[in-house]
């Protein structure tokens, strides 16, 4: 018989174990997210600041780094249509791993997210210049006058 490392009477808290076949997932609680909706009357400067924030504050570090660096390079020059595409891309899917897998082309991008911005993000993710991408950019590059 194997001795437990836990003191008697202490319950084991279950962590993520991946897609184990014996896992019934009955103990997983899913909290529904509100549906994404576009903000057609949002001022463009507000939209850019919101998207910059949302690019930096993701559910996983890989996307925090990828999207914040992408936003630094492209956000200020995006057209209204591109900003709308980017907003939908980073805010409508409920799973950040989906966004990462589409950006890195590990999985095919669904048609509703295939856009000019997705093509830019996929090219950006290839990092052809082999730049070190180990952390989010500092915010020094932002023009903070009048904000």
């Amino acid at each position: 018989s194997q001795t437990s490392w836990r003191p008697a009477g202490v319950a084991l808290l279950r962590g993520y174990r991946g897609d184990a076949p014996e896992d019934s997932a009955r103990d997983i609680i899913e909290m529904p997210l509100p549906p994404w909706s576009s903000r057609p009357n949002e001022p463009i400067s507000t939209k850019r600041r919101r998207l910059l924030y949302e690019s930096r504050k993701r559910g996983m570090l890989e996307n925090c780094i990828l999207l914040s660096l992408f936003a630094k390079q492209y956000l200020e020059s995006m057209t209204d249509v591109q900003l709308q595409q980017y907003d939908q891309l980073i805010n409508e899917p409920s799973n950040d791993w989906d966004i990462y897998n589409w950006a890195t082309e590990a999985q095919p991008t669904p048609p509703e997210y295939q856009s000019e911005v997705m093509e830019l993000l996929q090219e950006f993710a290839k990092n052809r210049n082999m730049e070190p991408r180990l952390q989010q950019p500092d915010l020094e590059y932002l023009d903070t006058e009048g904000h």
Side-chain angles (χ1 to χ4, degrees):
S1 129
Q2 222 174 4
T3 306
S4 174
W5 57 268
R6 285 177 279 132
V10 175
L12 175 64
L13 295 176
R14 181 176 174 267
Y16 179 72
R17 293 190 325 232
D19 297 324
E22 72 279 358
D23 190 356
S24 68
R26 285 182 296 216
D27 55 345
I28 295 176
I29 299 171
E30 285 196 37
M31 298 179 67
L33 297 173
W36 173 82
S37 61
S38 66
R39 302 175 188 192
N41 298 322
E42 183 177 36
I44 197 161
S45 61
T46 302
K47 183 180 295 253
R48 282 196 171 103
R49 285 193 304 269
R50 177 177 57 81
L51 291 173
L52 174 65
Y53 175 84
E54 291 170 348
S55 296
R56 297 178 64 86
K57 304 298 180 184
R58 305 304 306 170
M60 52 184 267
L61 180 60
E62 292 85 348
N63 273 358
C64 291
I65 294 170
L66 178 64
L67 295 177
S68 66
L69 291 167
F70 178 78
K72 177 181 179 181
Q73 183 164 333
Y74 290 105
L75 204 57
E76 284 301 314
S77 62
M78 284 185 184
T79 65
D80 288 342
V81 170
Q82 290 171 326
L83 288 169
Q84 175 69 18
Q85 292 172 354
Y86 188 60
D87 193 0
Q88 180 181 8
L89 172 65
I90 69 170
N91 287 307
E92 188 174 49
S94 62
N95 186 336
D96 252 27
W97 277 112
D98 289 339
I99 298 168
Y100 183 81
N101 286 328
W102 302 332
T104 59
E105 300 181 69
Q107 294 177 355
T109 304
E112 61 269 27
Y113 301 113
Q114 191 58 55
S115 66
E116 184 179 355
V117 168
M118 177 54 83
E119 290 172 9
L120 280 174
L121 180 58
Q122 288 172 333
E123 185 58 34
F124 183 82
K126 291 175 183 168
N127 195 11
R128 294 189 192 275
N129 294 331
M130 297 175 32
E131 303 162 336
R133 294 182 178 172
L134 303 174
Q135 64 187 28
Q136 294 184 22
D138 293 332
L139 294 176
E140 298 169 345
Y141 70 92
L142 297 175
D143 173 32
T144 56
E145 293 179 30
H147 296 284

